[in-house]
């Protein structure tokens, strides 16, 4: 060991003696980065320091003293893979608490490795029913892929609402889907809520109420609860976490190196652009670029397209060509791909977001990923760098919490010891984050006062009584069944009252609803206008534009996206707007019409049922399984090629998602590829999709963590 290394080790040890472990750990991680970059062999003193700060996975057992090697082996855990993993000290502490049966709300840095703890708990405790609530579809797929590979041979993995239950189930849902299973599950062994800070309106205005509803209803049948979030200092008293132990773990596994350029840039937009272009040109390694908004994504995309050369990459050229054929040759993403740049936002087709994350992980794939807040919400990447372009602007106010969550995306255990952050905007003030979770009044009408009396105040019970009385008067006794079975989907109970009042006050005006079941879209206009008017301002377009969009979208399976865009051009809708409006059709519009359909049958005593039309909306007029498979990473245009090959009939009304996956696992991949005439990049996509539905054979282990706990 040279003198320099000894000095650095001595400095780290001094901090440990002084009781400043966080500083010691930061310095040690930087030393490990130096050792790794210079191919220096580990030495006993280094291993000893790693053990002292609790970073056991980083130890090299072959160069350590026996005491350190003993600790290394002591903290092994089976996390469902065919080899055991070593947990760091705080992962072990958290897992021990969960195995002891405690209800835990934990705040830990992004790089903490919280998923390891979930997987180890499932493997060791072997619960019968597990529910994992995640904030986005992107995170649903990421979690599903991980869980499926590890546990599909032991569990039924459920991500959509039409899969029947088995003896042992793991549910992986955004909160809205989770509610569909409330009355189908007798009990949960554990309820896991990822990114649970989104239960507060301070962090999620639109969907916090639905998350609270899921927490209430699933929490009622859960034997144990485990809620996860980053960067929370304190949880204010509330009904939803009062029986849970809050564990705040300031335990970093990577070092975040922040370079703040804002003092030099200030409000000079030209200088800011120059700094960005210089970073984009000189930075090595995978880089996330936080744009903050859709308009900023466009601005940064244009900057890159004007200044960056194309990359000589067969993979990226194939990706770009595929995007051009299947979406638009002039689309920014099509042009960016040839420059090694991708785009990540919440509106893109789900399979397209997944493909880009996959390409971002490839050595010869994407080097840059421009993103809105979608990348902050739990999507794991191995980015070495993060560029922060914007922290405030129109409708955007970046809190210190969001900032910390974002920069935590830089660096990754065993990949990048140091995450580099480059800030081009004014940093938020360094404040602590106290999580406040008030009771959302708008969900009271959906709650049973007897079932949830323990969390309700007298005033809230009175509001429930008032709401139920009014709805029973409007809807009749059928309302009791709707409420008990959680059939109605609206997040706001007041919206249901509005629908019921409008149906009751003028029944004749709603006769037009029956025309929605007509195959000719020209009959839909009147009904759609009336329905859109129930939720003004919710559609991201004028009523007339949105109605025309729905009618054109009805040919989604028959026409290609470029053909649809030609039709949509007449009403001023381009590709980016297409993504947003299609998302509104699949969720907002289908949910609203579903509630209207249920209530109109009770109030109007009608004999028509809009379920066929609702089913078409929820799958954006694609065959249901095709739409579901997009969440699994198979784009609709590849599904169409497979349909045309005759190997799988997606138009079969009896085909379920489970049956389709079974067919994919039964058929020969080479037959699917050749018969479907898949092109080069389509084969790449297909292989990625197939990997996500393929079980990993896991041999029995002889060693288990349980003996250590």
């Amino acid at each position: 060991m040279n003198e320099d290394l000894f000095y650095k080790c001595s400095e780290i040890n001094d901090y440990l003696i002084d009781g400043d472990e966080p500083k010691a750990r930061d310095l040690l991680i930087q030393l490990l980065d130096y050792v790794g970059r210079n191919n220096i062999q580990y030495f006993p003193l280094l291993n000893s320091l790693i053990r002292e700060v609790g970073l056991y996975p980083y130890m090299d057992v072959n160069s350590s003293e026996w005491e350190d090697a003993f600790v290394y082996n002591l903290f092994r855990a089976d996390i469902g893979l065919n080899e055991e993993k070593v947990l760091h000290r705080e992962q072990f502490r958290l897992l021990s608490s969960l195995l002891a049966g405690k209800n835990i709300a934990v705040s830990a840095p992004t790089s903490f490795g919280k998923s390891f703890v979930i997987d180890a708990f499932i493997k060791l405790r072997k619960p019968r029913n597990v529910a994992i609530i995640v904030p986005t579809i992107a995170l649903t797929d990421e979690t599903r892929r991980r869980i499926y590979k590890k546990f599909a041979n032991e569990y039924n993995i459920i991500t959509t609402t039409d899969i029947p239950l088995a003896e042992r189930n793991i549910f992986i849902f955004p909160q809205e889907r989770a509610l569909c299973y409330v009355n189908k599950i007798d009990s949960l062994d554990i309820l896991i809520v990822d990114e649970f800070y989104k239960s507060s309106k301070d962090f999620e205005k639109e969907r916090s109420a639905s998350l609270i509803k899921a927490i209430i209803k699933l929490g009622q049948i859960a034997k144990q609860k485990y809620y996860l979030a980053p960067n929370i200092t304190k949880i204010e008293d509330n009904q939803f976490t009062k029986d849970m132990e809050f564990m705040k773990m300031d335990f970093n596994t990577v070092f975040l190196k922040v370079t703040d350029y804002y003092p030099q840039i200030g409000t000079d937009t030209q200088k800011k652009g120059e700094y960005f272009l210089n970073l984009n040109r000189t930075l090595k390694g995978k880089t996330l670029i936080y744009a903050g908004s859709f308009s900023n994504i466009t601005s940064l995309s244009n900057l890159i397209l004007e200044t960056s050369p194309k990359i000589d990459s067969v993979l990226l050229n194939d990706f770009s060509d595929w995007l051009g054929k299947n979406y638009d040759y002039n689309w920014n993403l099509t042009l960016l791909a040839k420059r090694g740049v991708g785009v990540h936002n919440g509106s893109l087709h789900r399979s397209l977001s997944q493909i880009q994350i996959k390409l971002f992980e490839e050595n010869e794939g994407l080097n840059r990923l421009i993103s809105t807040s979608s990348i902050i919400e739990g999507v794991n990447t191995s980015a070495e760098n993060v560029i922060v372009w914007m922290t405030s602007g129109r409708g955007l106010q970046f809190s210190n919490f969001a900032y910390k969550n974002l920069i935590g995306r830089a660096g990754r255990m065993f990949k990048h010891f140091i995450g580099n952050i480059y800030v081009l905007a004014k940093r938020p003030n360094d404040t602590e984050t106290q999580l406040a979770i008030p009771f959302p009044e708008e969900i009271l009408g959906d709650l049973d006062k007897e079932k949830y009396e323990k969390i309700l105040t007298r005033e809230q019970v009175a509001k429930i009584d008032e709401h139920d009385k009014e709805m029973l008067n409007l809807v009749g006794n059928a309302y009791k069944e709707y409420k008990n079975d959680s059939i109605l989907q609206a997040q706001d109970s007041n919206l249901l009252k509005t629908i019921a009042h409008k149906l009751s006050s003028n029944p004749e005006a709603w006769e037009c609803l029956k025309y929605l079941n007509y195959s000719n879209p020209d009959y839909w206009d009147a009904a759609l206008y009336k329905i859109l008017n129930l939720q003004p301002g919710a559609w991201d377009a004028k009523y007339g534009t949105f109605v025309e969009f729905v009618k054109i979208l009805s040919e989604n399976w028959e026409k290609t996206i470029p053909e649809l865009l030609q039709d949509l051009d007449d009403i001023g809708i381009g590709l980016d707007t297409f993504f947003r409006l299609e998302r509104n059709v699949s969720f907002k519009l289908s949910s609203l019409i579903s509630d209207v359909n249920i209530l109109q049958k009770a109030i109007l005593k009608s004999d028509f049922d809009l379920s066929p039309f609702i089913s078409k909306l929820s799958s954006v007029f694609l065959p249901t399984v095709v739409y579901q498979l997009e969440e699994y990473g198979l784009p609709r245009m590849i599904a169409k090629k497979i349909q045309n090959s005759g190997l799988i009939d997606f138009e079969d009304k009896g085909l379920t998602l489970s049956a389709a996956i079974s067919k994919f696992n039964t058929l020969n991949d080479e037959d699917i590829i050749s018969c479907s005439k898949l092109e080069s990049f389509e084969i790449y996509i297909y292989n990625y999709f197939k990997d996500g539905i393929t079980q990993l054979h896991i041999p029995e282990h002889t060693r288990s963590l349980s003996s250590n706990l």
Side-chain angles (χ1 to χ4, degrees):
M1 180 174 57
N2 64 41
E3 190 175 333
D4 248 5
L5 289 175
F6 180 81
Y7 173 77
K8 288 174 182 175
C9 289
S10 178
E11 185 183 9
I12 293 166
N13 191 58
D14 287 343
Y15 279 107
L16 286 171
I17 291 171
D18 292 341
D20 193 348
E21 186 182 281
K23 180 66 175 179
R25 192 163 51 250
D26 279 346
L27 289 174
L28 179 60
I29 292 170
Q30 293 174 74
L31 178 57
L32 291 174
D33 179 71
Y34 175 83
V35 167
R37 289 181 186 274
N38 291 277
N39 294 315
I40 299 171
Q41 298 232 338
Y42 278 36
F43 43 91
L45 177 56
L46 184 62
N47 282 300
S48 181
L49 290 171
I50 293 172
R51 176 170 68 85
E52 285 294 321
V53 300
L55 288 170
Y56 311 131
Y58 285 157
M59 292 169 63
D60 176 24
V61 71
N62 295 318
S63 62
S64 61
E65 301 287 357
W66 75 266
E67 299 98 327
D68 298 327
F70 177 77
V71 171
Y72 179 89
N73 285 293
L74 189 67
F75 283 82
R76 286 181 178 275
D78 187 338
I79 60 169
L81 293 172
N82 51 358
E83 64 180 59
E84 293 173 330
K85 296 289 184 183
V86 177
L87 302 182
H88 60 64
R89 184 184 66 213
E90 298 305 289
Q91 283 175 321
F92 186 90
R93 183 161 75 91
L94 180 55
L95 178 59
S96 298
S97 295
L98 288 172
L99 291 174
K102 294 181 178 179
N103 295 317
I104 304 291
V106 62
S107 171
T110 306
S111 62
F112 182 87
K114 297 184 285 289
S115 60
F116 277 16
V117 177
I118 294 172
D119 299 353
F121 177 87
I122 293 172
K123 186 65 182 179
L124 293 166
R125 181 64 71 227
K126 301 188 185 310
R128 187 169 70 88
N129 284 323
V130 177
I132 305 174
I133 297 179
V134 294
T136 64
I137 293 294
L139 194 53
T140 299
D141 184 70
E142 182 179 298
T143 307
R144 177 195 63 80
R145 284 174 174 271
R146 187 187 84 242
I147 295 292
Y148 192 91
K149 282 207 167 293
K150 295 176 180 181
F151 302 113
N153 59 337
E154 303 172 60
Y155 286 89
N156 186 28
I157 313 298
I158 299 176
T159 60
T160 59
T161 55
D162 60 347
I163 298 177
L165 301 186
E167 182 63 27
R168 289 149 66 85
N169 307 280
I170 298 177
F171 307 89
I172 307 169
F173 287 142
Q175 56 259 32
E176 293 84 2
R177 289 185 189 174
L179 290 164
C180 296
Y181 274 92
V182 166
N183 293 313
K184 298 178 184 179
I185 313 168
D186 55 354
S187 70
L188 287 171
D189 292 278
I190 188 166
L191 169 64
I192 300 167
V193 181
D194 200 2
E195 311 288 334
F196 84 94
Y197 66 89
K198 288 181 172 289
S199 58
S200 169
K201 283 189 175 179
D202 293 339
F203 300 103
E204 178 60 70
K205 285 185 173 63
E206 284 193 12
R207 300 173 64 214
S208 58
S210 63
L211 180 53
I212 289 292
K213 193 191 299 185
I215 286 173
I216 290 172
K217 294 193 172 186
L218 291 174
Q220 187 81 1
I221 59 172
K223 299 173 186 175
Q224 191 174 0
K225 293 178 284 188
Y226 174 38
Y227 299 170
L228 307 86
N231 307 313
I232 300 295
T233 309
K234 182 184 176 184
I235 302 176
E236 294 184 5
D237 289 341
N238 65 86
Q239 299 101 312
F240 315 111
T241 61
K242 63 182 180 181
D243 62 338
M244 305 181 75
E245 178 184 338
F246 177 56
M247 300 176 72
K248 186 178 185 310
M249 295 181 163
D250 292 322
F251 190 88
N252 56 307
T253 60
V254 299
F255 176 72
L256 301 179
K257 182 182 178 182
V258 179
T259 304
D260 190 354
Y261 289 118
Y262 183 75
Q264 296 101 288
I265 297 170
T267 57
D268 190 328
T269 53
Q270 183 177 345
K271 188 179 286 188
K272 184 178 180 180
E274 290 169 357
Y275 270 74
F276 170 77
L277 290 175
N278 183 59
L279 285 169
N280 186 55
R281 184 173 60 254
T282 58
L283 280 181
K284 308 295 183 189
K286 306 289 184 177
T287 303
L288 292 178
I289 302 167
Y290 176 72
S293 66
F294 285 97
S295 61
N296 285 338
I297 286 181
T298 302
S299 300
L300 289 172
S301 297
N302 292 335
L303 267 178
I304 291 170
L305 289 172
E306 290 167 7
T307 58
S308 300
K310 295 178 182 178
I311 295 174
D312 185 18
S313 165
V314 174
L315 180 60
L316 293 180
N317 285 334
D318 285 350
F319 178 44
S320 178
D321 290 344
W322 181 79
L323 288 171
K325 287 177 185 175
N326 292 284
Y327 290 95
D328 185 350
Y329 281 103
N330 295 314
W331 187 27
N332 266 358
L333 180 56
T334 306
L335 304 172
L336 288 167
K338 291 187 176 183
R339 292 158 174 83
V341 181
V343 173
H344 196 285
N345 62 59
S347 296
L348 292 173
H349 285 162
R350 290 140 180 175
S351 57
L352 192 50
S353 296
Q354 295 165 33
I355 291 163
Q356 290 190 88
I357 294 294
K358 168 66 175 171
L359 286 169
F360 192 66
E361 300 297 312
E362 300 275 12
N363 289 332
E364 301 299 318
L366 298 171
N367 294 315
R368 307 283 188 263
L369 205 56
I370 311 173
S371 174
T372 59
S373 61
S374 62
I375 206 71
I376 302 176
E377 297 170 340
V379 178
N380 289 316
T381 67
S382 56
E384 187 173 0
N385 315 298
V386 170
I387 299 174
V388 183
W389 171 262
M390 187 65 72
T391 57
S392 63
R394 273 189 201 168
L396 174 69
Q397 204 54 53
F398 213 50
S399 65
N400 186 55
F401 169 84
Y403 171 75
K404 285 184 176 178
N405 203 0
L406 170 63
I407 66 175
R409 299 291 157 198
R412 193 169 181 179
M413 282 185 75
F414 300 110
K415 215 140 175 157
H416 309 294
F417 285 108
I418 296 177
N420 301 296
I421 295 94
Y422 304 91
V423 185
L424 305 180
K426 188 177 182 179
R427 293 164 65 178
N429 294 328
D430 190 8
T431 55
E432 294 186 338
T433 300
Q434 297 191 43
L435 183 63
I437 315 177
F439 201 113
E441 296 291 303
E442 63 266 34
I443 72 169
L444 282 172
D446 193 49
L447 299 180
D448 185 303
K449 66 179 183 182
E450 280 80 24
K451 190 180 289 185
Y452 306 111
E453 61 180 349
K454 291 182 179 178
I455 63 169
L456 296 170
T457 64
R458 189 176 298 172
E459 291 78 12
Q460 288 168 338
V461 169
K463 286 182 179 180
I464 292 173
D465 284 336
E466 184 183 349
H467 179 274
D468 286 355
K469 184 180 179 181
E470 190 170 356
M471 289 297 287
L472 282 167
N473 184 52
L474 291 165
V475 181
N477 286 330
Y479 177 68
K480 294 179 180 178
E481 179 190 338
Y482 302 156
K483 183 171 179 175
N484 185 60
D485 294 340
S486 299
I487 291 173
L488 297 166
Q489 298 181 35
Q491 309 303 321
D492 188 345
S493 302
N494 293 321
L495 174 59
L496 296 175
K497 278 199 298 188
T498 298
I499 296 170
H501 273 292
K502 291 198 173 188
L503 287 166
S504 301
S505 62
N506 191 4
E508 293 80 14
W510 294 90
E511 285 292 318
C512 59
L513 289 175
K514 64 185 178 185
Y515 294 112
L516 292 175
N517 280 335
Y518 283 33
S519 58
N520 186 345
D522 290 336
Y523 287 91
W524 299 350
D525 292 61
L528 288 176
Y529 274 107
K530 288 192 73 67
I531 287 165
L532 296 182
N533 200 42
L534 293 169
Q535 274 191 289
W539 310 106
D540 291 327
K542 294 178 179 177
Y543 288 177
T545 303
F546 194 81
V547 168
E548 287 304 310
F549 176 80
V550 174
K551 291 161 66 176
I552 292 169
L553 192 67
S554 67
E555 296 186 283
N556 210 359
W557 184 236
E558 287 75 30
K559 290 186 175 182
T560 66
I561 289 175
E563 288 170 342
L564 288 173
L565 290 174
Q566 278 190 327
D567 297 339
L568 291 166
D569 187 58
D570 292 337
I571 56 172
I573 291 178
L575 184 53
D576 290 316
T577 306
F578 171 85
F579 289 129
R580 288 201 295 276
L581 297 189
E582 191 184 69
R583 186 66 59 90
N584 284 343
V585 169
S586 67
F587 177 63
K588 287 184 180 178
L589 184 59
S590 67
S591 298
L592 181 57
I593 296 183
S594 176
D595 287 344
V596 170
N597 185 44
I598 291 165
L599 293 174
Q600 67 91 15
K601 283 191 280 187
I603 296 171
L604 306 182
K605 311 295 184 187
S606 68
D607 58 358
F608 60 87
D609 180 16
L610 297 177
S611 297
F613 184 71
I614 296 163
S615 178
K616 292 175 183 177
L617 287 176
S618 62
S619 58
V620 293
F621 298 95
L622 299 169
T624 301
V625 173
V626 169
Y627 186 69
Q628 292 171 334
L629 286 172
E630 280 207 317
E631 293 184 13
Y632 281 56
L634 187 73
R636 62 191 67 179
M637 52 286 292
I638 296 180
K640 188 65 177 286
K641 284 190 171 186
I642 295 171
Q643 170 75 28
N644 293 337
S645 75
L647 292 172
I648 302 176
D649 183 8
F650 294 117
E651 295 173 4
D652 177 3
K653 302 289 186 188
L655 183 69
T656 63
L657 178 62
S658 300
I661 289 172
S662 179
K663 283 180 180 288
F664 275 112
N665 285 322
T666 302
L667 292 168
N668 184 284
D669 289 338
E670 291 302 319
D671 288 343
I672 292 178
I673 289 167
S674 63
C675 294
S676 305
K677 300 177 182 177
L678 300 188
E679 298 175 4
S680 171
F681 192 73
E682 290 173 329
I683 296 171
Y684 175 86
I685 295 172
Y686 176 80
N687 288 334
Y688 175 59
F689 156 73
K690 189 64 188 294
D691 181 68
I693 59 170
T694 302
Q695 293 179 212
L696 189 68
H697 176 69
I698 307 170
E700 286 296 318
H701 298 306
T702 57
R703 186 170 14 216
S704 170
L705 180 64
S706 56
S707 60
N708 300 326
L709 297 175

